[in-house]
Amino acid sequence: MNFFTICKFFEKDLYDLFSCNLYLCFSNINMPGDSDLEIEEAFRRAQKAHNNKAKLVASLKNRYNKLEDKTEFHEEFVRCLKYAMIIYTREPAVENVIDFVTRFVMSLKCRHLSHGANSHAVRFRACQLVNKLLGSLSENAQIDDDLWDRIHEAMLIRVTDKYPNVRIQAALAMSRLQDPSNVDCPTIKAYMLLLENDSNPEVRRAVLSCIAPSATTLSKIYKRTRDVKEKVRKLAYQVLAEKVHIRALSIAQRVSLLHEGLSDSADSVKEVVKTHLLPAWLRMQQGDVLQLLHRLDVENCAETAVTTLQAIFSMATSPDDLQNGVRLDESKSNRLALCEFVKNKGNEGEELLERLLPETAIFAEYLYSYLKSITQLSEEQRADMTQLEMVMTQEFIGQQLILLVGCLDTSEEGGRKRMVAVLQEILLMPNTPTSLIGLLVEKLIGILRDDAQKIQMVAEIISDVREPILPISEPVDENEKRRKQVKLAEVRVQIMEAKQTLEECISCQDFSRAAELKDSISQLEELKNQLVLEASQSADNIKEQRVEKSDAKTLLKCLTMCAELFKQMNIKRGICPTMNALIESLILPGVSNPNPAVRNMAVICLGTAALHSKDLANTHLVLLLQITQLDEPKIRISALRALVDQLLLNGLILQDKPAPVSQDDSNEQPEHQAEEESTVQSILKMLSEFLDSEICELRTETAEGLAKLMYCGRILSPKLLSRLVLLWYNPVTEDDQRLRHCLGVFLQLYARASRTNQECVEESFLPTMRTLFNAPVTSPLSEVDTSNVAELFVELTRPSALVQPAAVQAVSVHDSLAVRVCNEILRDTSAPEVRLYCKTLSWLEINTEPGPANSDLQLLLKDILQEVKDKHSIRIIEKLCNQLNGDRCSKSAGNQDTTLQNLDDHNGGGTSYDEENVPEEPPSVRPSRRAKMAAIDKTKQDLTALMNQEANSS
């Protein structure tokens, strides 16, 4: 067997390429060659995409096989190869050469390459060749164990390379080296580490395309569906659709994938869920939609189930496909989703909707009979989980039936009146589940057309529930009762005597006397019946009258109806007398009720009612503030939400400091303005304290409320913004996904919204950094990566990030931030944070045009150069000075190796940037021959010129 090596050595002036050798042994592949070909000529031709590489390989191999001493061939081959190896950009000519080399090496037995060269370009090409060579192996190919270990070891080193393209190729090369069945497989561990921590999205995508799903890796793949980058999320869903069975996922994971995927902000992600994930899951269930729903938690995640069904229906091509695609008679959820989907189509789906739903009056009767039949459980029965699950299922079906009311045609007067009457009866029934009350009121209000009628009808229902008409027994006079009983006994005796005398008269044939006795007996019978009736009426002396009920269940039901009424009514209508009566008689007393559930619903009602009247909001503002600080956590959160809603709708534009007032105007300042400012400061202080609360839900609700207020412009506070950023980075909130997601979205949207917001972010930069630098070792903030925080602020204040960037900006936010950072450096030039501040300056988009701002900044930079002693910082400042002086060469040279990336994933430590941009793959679509020639002519790199240049110089 013959062996040979490629890349035995490279010239010393080309980066010392051989720090490590990799030997790849392959079975000899005999390929026919019709003629010999010079090596350099083969490389020249290989650059041209239209040339047949198979013929080039065969010809060059034919020449190689004829040589007895192959040393000269090796050296010449390496000399030609090195020109491709040192070029990093994805030039078509270079890619063609790499493909040619891969094919040629595959036709031989072995080779070795350097992967640890100083040049990132060489490392990239070496890993690329290994990737292509391993990828070219057949399924049953075998590699020597020692060689496999050496390849594995080398690629494990390269997946941690500084440059993302090298990491990508190394990750791709290891795809055939992984062992999913081995829990300790180093490749699997490296893949999972890259998925979790690599800052470059293209690297994460490369790993996703290679990693084999298993019990160990599934959670990591699933987590990438929440990646900050759209392309990564999209690929993660594709991998789950193509490689993972639905049974391998938990119910919570299935629901989460559908919920988040179908509501993703990127249309491409939504599309891949519709066209890949859902069809794949349906195929696993033999196309049975019901069976797919059984794989989801439909009862607890009804909204996700409906969204999923609508996504399935959206892929139908005709109305018949819609109706036949689901067995509607077996699932209320299916019918609801389909009805809502068809109704949204408007006139186009009107005919199908009529076939799906019965007449309104018929449906009303069915709804009433079903809800009336829901089982009522005692407290003891509720302890039995089987019975409790049965009732929960009944309530869920009832909920779906109520939702179908919104799809009915209520334009017909008779059907509409019957539905209104049925909904009223259901709301008045004492056994109607509390969980359905709000939905019933919503549908009732939706059917009614007049606002006054809506308010009046709901108020009457609340009154009837709160004060139902009940039968009341009155006390009976015992003497009168005894007298009537004696009288009744006397009458009965008289009747018996008269009947006896009657029989005697008949026997004596005294018929005249018998007739008289018969009339007398009839009168006595009437008297007896009257006395019996009076006795029975006196025993059941019951009258009907209204009785006020104050039990927790009744109050909760009434407050739920009241809350839904205020929620459904237009806030511009204001508070009418009927609504005000509900507030005074039901809501305010409920706020002080001893039952927590009643108290919580009363607070929700009060907060909703306050949105209808600014006077009402101001009247009860103090009460809400007290509740947010004194009650149970759940009630405090409800009061906090009500407070935030008031501030969003009616509140002042709150600032850290009041607007300055001149001395002449201060005497004229109204007293109420001072009171308002005092209230504002109290609210800000309270909200700030809540951010440190040990109650996770209260802290999260406060952060979300502040984010809303700041985004809507109700609060303009760099201090509070700094607190939110610190809360986002704080390791304590790592498990609070809702908080992290909310603040992550808010920071980006807030900074992009306006220049004013970016200035607020700029002002919060230094306070945030000082807090982190001064955090004691015992504080969780000491674990935060300050470099990531600085990068975040730079990205948020970037002028190009604005939704509507200003056409002309004399001084950008980055210019102002640069001055702030310079002044901070000069405060203490020996501080350890100076190096980070200098690095921050290098990230800013500073205006290099001549002007006062530019001149001031240059003066500050010169002072820094004189004061700072750190060499790394000095180099950064010198480079920045050159840029401000118009030295574009320095800037462009720096951009070859270091370019800031976009804001990346935040999983507990902040955002990250990679060292350089990732060159994109060339298009995979095969162009025409003319297009190929045009592309080759325009290419930026031509290895022929480089080879000729060295040949001439030698």
Side-chain angles (χ1 to χ4, degrees):
M1 297 177 66
N2 295 323
F3 291 89
F4 102 106
T5 60
I6 296 176
C7 302
K8 184 176 180 182
F9 62 90
F10 278 59
E11 285 76 0
K12 292 184 179 180
D13 59 342
L14 289 174
Y15 305 108
D16 186 23
L17 300 181
F18 283 94
S19 60
C20 178
N21 295 329
L22 298 179
Y23 292 87
L24 301 179
C25 297
F26 306 95
S27 58
N28 195 11
I29 302 175
N30 293 322
M31 298 178 63
D34 51 6
S35 62
D36 297 349
L37 189 66
E38 294 292 336
I39 298 174
E40 186 171 328
E41 181 62 25
F43 271 83
R44 285 195 178 97
R45 294 185 183 181
Q47 297 179 64
K48 313 298 182 181
H50 64 276
N51 280 325
N52 190 323
K53 291 185 177 58
K55 290 184 178 180
L56 292 178
V57 169
S59 179
L60 192 61
K61 183 184 176 184
N62 186 44
R63 174 181 175 80
Y64 174 78
N65 289 334
K66 291 179 180 180
L67 296 175
E68 294 184 2
D69 183 6
K70 298 178 172 55
T71 304
E72 184 177 350
F73 183 94
H74 296 166
E75 295 177 355
E76 178 65 12
F77 192 90
V78 167
R79 187 188 72 82
C80 296
L81 175 61
K82 68 183 180 182
Y83 298 104
M85 294 291 290
I86 63 175
I87 296 175
Y88 185 57
T89 54
R90 305 300 292 267
E91 300 293 340
V94 180
E95 297 299 316
N96 291 332
V97 169
I98 295 297
D99 288 339
F100 163 70
V101 172
T102 302
R103 294 189 182 196
F104 179 70
V105 173
M106 284 297 299
S107 70
L108 304 174
K109 285 195 172 184
C110 63
R111 76 163 185 83
H112 74 250
L113 269 178
S114 164
H115 77 90
N118 293 334
S119 169
H120 63 273
V122 176
R123 298 197 302 273
F124 163 65
R125 293 300 176 185
C127 292
Q128 185 186 34
L129 279 172
V130 173
N131 172 32
K132 288 181 176 291
L133 289 168
L134 290 177
S136 301
L137 290 174
S138 61
E139 290 294 329
N140 58 353
Q142 296 183 355
I143 301 179
D144 181 73
D145 289 343
D146 180 62
L147 175 61
W148 188 91
D149 291 337
R150 298 177 69 181
I151 297 173
H152 205 178
E153 180 182 353
M155 292 300 101
L156 286 173
I157 296 174
R158 291 279 67 84
V159 291
T160 61
D161 197 277
K162 175 181 179 181
Y163 289 84
N165 250 17
V166 179
R167 299 199 298 274
I168 290 173
Q169 293 300 325
L172 295 173
M174 290 198 304
S175 63
R176 299 190 67 174
L177 306 179
Q178 61 183 319
D179 182 8
S181 61
N182 182 9
V183 180
D184 298 321
C185 175
T187 297
I188 296 294
K189 290 183 176 180
Y191 277 166
M192 292 193 297
L193 188 65
L194 290 173
L195 283 179
E196 284 286 324
N197 301 311
D198 200 293
S199 60
N200 190 281
E202 294 301 324
V203 176
R204 300 197 295 273
R205 289 184 71 237
V207 174
L208 275 176
S209 66
C210 298
I211 190 169
S214 66
T216 306
T217 61
L218 183 57
S219 62
K220 307 299 180 182
I221 299 173
Y222 166 77
K223 195 172 183 180
R224 285 307 100 204
T225 60
R226 299 173 179 176
D227 197 282
V228 72
K229 293 298 181 181
E230 172 186 341
K231 290 183 178 179
V232 180
R233 297 197 303 273
K234 178 181 176 182
L235 182 58
Y237 279 107
Q238 288 176 330
V239 170
L240 289 172
E242 296 169 2
K243 300 181 181 180
V244 179
H245 198 282
I246 188 174
R247 292 184 179 178
L249 300 165
S250 66
I251 292 179
Q253 287 175 328
R254 299 169 198 166
V255 173
S256 176
L257 285 173
L258 293 175
H259 174 71
E260 296 176 6
L262 293 173
S263 60
D264 196 279
S265 58
D267 292 336
S268 63
V269 177
K270 295 178 186 176
E271 190 64 22
V272 81
V273 174
K274 288 182 181 180
T275 59
H276 288 73
L277 187 65
L278 276 176
W281 285 4
L282 277 173
R283 285 194 298 272
M284 296 172 191
Q285 310 304 322
Q286 290 75 46
D288 190 343
V289 177
L290 284 177
Q291 193 63 32
L292 175 60
L293 290 179
H294 290 159
R295 302 289 181 189
L296 307 175
D297 188 6
V298 176
E299 293 185 13
N300 293 325
C301 306
E303 184 178 348
T304 302
V306 171
T307 306
T308 301
L309 288 170
Q310 289 179 345
I312 295 174
F313 297 151
S314 66
M315 293 183 285
T317 56
S318 67
D320 291 336
D321 292 340
L322 283 175
Q323 192 170 13
N324 298 331
V326 186
R327 297 202 301 272
L328 297 172
D329 57 323
E330 298 184 18
S331 173
K332 301 293 187 301
S333 298
N334 284 7
R335 183 177 292 274
L336 171 62
L338 183 56
C339 289
E340 289 183 347
F341 178 79
V342 173
K343 186 176 182 180
N344 291 334
K345 284 182 167 291
N347 296 333
E348 182 181 348
E350 186 174 347
E351 181 180 351
L352 178 58
L353 191 63
E354 290 180 358
R355 287 188 289 172
L356 292 173
L357 290 174
E359 294 181 4
T360 303
I362 297 175
F363 184 84
E365 298 300 331
Y366 177 75
L367 176 65
Y368 178 76
S369 62
Y370 184 85
L371 294 182
K372 192 175 181 180
S373 66
I374 293 180
T375 307
Q376 302 298 315
L377 298 181
S378 63
E379 292 299 326
E380 295 180 357
Q381 291 174 324
R382 287 185 174 275
D384 185 352
M385 292 303 299
T386 303
Q387 295 191 52
L388 185 60
E389 288 181 5
M390 178 192 67
V391 172
M392 291 176 64
T393 302
Q394 290 177 345
E395 291 185 10
F396 174 75
I397 296 174
Q399 180 191 51
Q400 301 301 302
L401 290 173
I402 297 170
L403 288 171
L404 278 173
V405 173
C407 299
L408 295 171
D409 180 13
T410 56
S411 59
E412 193 269 320
E413 185 69 18
R416 184 174 70 254
K417 286 184 177 181
R418 184 55 191 152
M419 179 59 73
V420 169
V422 165
L423 292 176
Q424 285 180 282
E425 291 180 41
I426 295 173
L427 286 170
L428 288 171
M429 287 192 308
N431 295 330
T432 302
T434 307
S435 60
L436 303 179
I437 296 299
L439 191 57
L440 287 166
V441 175
E442 176 189 342
K443 297 307 176 185
L444 175 62
I445 292 176
I447 295 175
L448 299 174
R449 298 174 179 176
D450 182 64
D451 285 350
Q453 185 185 9
K454 296 175 182 179
I455 297 172
Q456 188 64 32
M457 184 170 291
V458 175
E460 289 176 358
I461 295 173
I462 292 174
S463 177
D464 290 341
V465 172
R466 182 80 184 279
E467 299 179 354
I469 299 176
L470 299 177
I472 303 297
S473 299
E474 292 185 351
V476 179
D477 188 351
E478 293 295 332
N479 294 329
E480 181 67 18
K481 180 179 179 182
R482 202 177 305 100
R483 186 186 66 78
K484 289 183 178 180
Q485 289 176 347
V486 172
K487 180 67 174 176
L488 178 63
E490 291 178 353
V491 171
R492 284 175 176 170
V493 171
Q494 291 176 3
I495 292 174
M496 291 176 62
E497 291 176 350
K499 287 183 177 180
Q500 186 177 2
T501 306
L502 177 63
E503 291 177 357
E504 293 176 355
C505 290
I506 293 174
S507 62
C508 296
Q509 295 185 351
D510 187 357
F511 296 110
S512 59
R513 176 65 178 160
E516 292 175 359
L517 288 172
K518 190 175 180 179
D519 293 337
S520 177
I521 291 173
S522 298
Q523 293 177 359
L524 289 172
E525 287 287 350
E526 290 180 2
L527 179 60
K528 185 193 76 169
N529 292 336
Q530 184 179 356
L531 290 173
V532 170
L533 180 61
E534 290 178 358
S536 63
Q537 288 179 347
S538 62
D540 300 326
N541 192 11
I542 298 174
K543 292 184 178 180
E544 292 185 345
Q545 67 179 41
R546 291 190 176 273
V547 178
E548 183 175 349
K549 299 174 66 176
S550 58
D551 60 288
K553 183 179 179 181
T554 300
L555 291 176
L556 187 60
K557 182 176 181 180
C558 294
L559 287 168
T560 303
M561 288 189 282
C562 187
E564 192 63 34
L565 173 63
F566 282 110
K567 177 182 174 182
Q568 296 296 326
M569 299 306 297
N570 193 327
I571 60 175
K572 295 181 179 180
R573 194 177 188 280
I575 298 290
C576 66
T578 304
M579 298 169 75
N580 191 60
L582 290 173
I583 295 172
E584 296 295 333
S585 63
L586 180 63
I587 297 176
L588 292 178
V591 172
S592 58
N593 192 280
N595 186 280
V598 173
R599 206 159 60 246
N600 183 57
M601 186 55 67
V603 170
I604 293 174
C605 286
L606 182 61
T608 310
L611 299 176
H612 291 258
S613 170
K614 186 177 291 187
D615 293 336
L616 182 66
N618 292 332
T619 302
H620 299 293
L621 178 62
V622 176
L623 175 60
L624 289 174
L625 288 172
Q626 291 175 346
I627 296 173
T628 56
Q629 302 176 74
L630 300 176
D631 217 313
E632 296 184 6
K634 184 178 181 180
I635 304 174
R636 293 174 65 186
I637 291 173
S638 297
L640 179 61
R641 289 174 180 168
L643 180 63
V644 171
D645 288 342
Q646 283 191 36
L647 294 176
L648 285 171
L649 183 65
N650 305 320
L652 302 171
I653 298 181
L654 310 179
Q655 298 185 1
D656 284 345
K657 297 179 181 179
V661 181
S662 65
Q663 185 66 31
D664 294 337
D665 296 337
S666 61
N667 295 329
E668 301 177 3
Q669 184 178 8
E671 293 182 2
H672 74 273
Q673 184 174 349
E675 294 177 1
E676 287 180 353
E677 291 173 356
S678 175
T679 304
V680 165
Q681 295 303 321
S682 299
I683 294 174
L684 287 177
K685 182 180 179 181
M686 181 194 71
L687 295 176
S688 181
E689 291 174 352
F690 284 172
L691 292 177
D692 297 323
S693 174
E694 295 180 357
I695 304 172
C696 177
E697 294 80 5
L698 181 62
R699 181 181 61 209
T700 301
E701 197 66 42
T702 304
E704 185 175 333
L706 285 172
K708 292 177 181 177
L709 291 169
M710 296 189 71
Y711 183 74
C712 294
R714 293 298 185 183
I715 294 180
L716 187 62
S717 172
K719 292 181 181 179
L720 284 176
L721 182 60
S722 175
R723 293 291 307 278
L724 293 180
V725 173
L726 292 171
L727 189 64
W728 192 44
Y729 277 99
N730 197 322
V732 173
T733 65
E734 184 174 3
D735 296 331
D736 193 343
Q737 294 297 327
R738 179 188 166 196
L739 174 67
R740 287 291 179 95
H741 177 73
C742 170
L743 292 181
V745 173
F746 159 71
L747 289 173
Q748 296 186 53
L749 294 178
Y750 179 74
R752 294 176 58 213
S754 68
R755 167 70 184 260
T756 302
N757 291 354
Q758 282 197 337
E759 290 173 353
C760 183
V761 176
E762 174 207 340
E763 290 184 41
S764 66
F765 172 68
L766 289 179
T768 304
M769 301 305 295
R770 288 170 186 162
T771 302
L772 293 174
F773 289 135
N774 298 329
V777 180
T778 56
S779 171
L781 291 177
S782 62
E783 304 174 18
V784 176
D785 187 348
T786 52
S787 177
N788 283 337
V789 180
E791 290 171 1
L792 171 68
F793 275 94
V794 171
E795 192 66 26
L796 294 179
T797 54
R798 198 174 296 281
S800 57
L802 288 172
V803 176
Q804 294 181 342
V808 178
Q809 282 189 349
V811 179
S812 69
V813 176
H814 271 196
D815 293 336
S816 303
L817 183 58
V819 174
R820 288 179 183 270
V821 173
C822 288
N823 287 324
E824 186 68 14
I825 294 173
L826 292 172
R827 284 181 58 188
D828 185 0
T829 55
S830 61
E833 57 265 22
V834 166
R835 174 175 287 197
L836 177 57
Y837 282 139
C838 291
K839 192 176 180 181
T840 303
L841 288 173
S842 68
W843 295 335
L844 298 174
E845 293 181 4
I846 300 175
N847 188 2
T848 58
E849 298 297 328
N854 190 312
S855 301
D856 294 342
L857 183 56
Q858 290 192 49
L859 292 175
L860 290 172
L861 293 175
K862 290 178 181 179
D863 292 341
I864 292 174
L865 287 174
Q866 294 176 359
E867 299 289 338
V868 173
K869 305 302 181 185
D870 181 65
K871 293 182 179 180
H872 180 75
S873 301
I874 291 175
R875 286 197 299 269
I876 294 176
I877 299 302
E878 287 177 344
K879 182 178 178 181
L880 184 57
C881 288
N882 292 335
Q883 292 180 13
L884 292 176
N885 289 328
D887 186 358
R888 301 291 188 270
C889 296
S890 174
K891 184 175 181 179
S892 61
N895 286 340
Q896 290 182 0
D897 295 328
T898 306
T899 304
L900 288 178
Q901 299 282 328
N902 289 333
L903 204 60
D904 211 326
D905 199 2
H906 174 58
N907 292 318
T911 56
S912 299
Y913 301 88
D914 215 324
E915 286 74 18
E916 65 175 286
N917 287 323
V918 180
E920 294 186 359
E921 292 282 351
S924 58
V925 180
R926 185 173 181 177
S928 65
R929 180 176 294 272
R930 181 176 298 178
K932 292 178 183 177
M933 297 301 297
I936 291 173
D937 293 338
K938 294 180 180 180
T939 184
K940 298 178 182 178
Q941 296 286 350
D942 190 342
L943 302 185
T944 304
L946 293 175
M947 290 189 286
N948 290 340
Q949 182 179 355
E950 181 173 322
N952 294 334
S953 62
S954 60

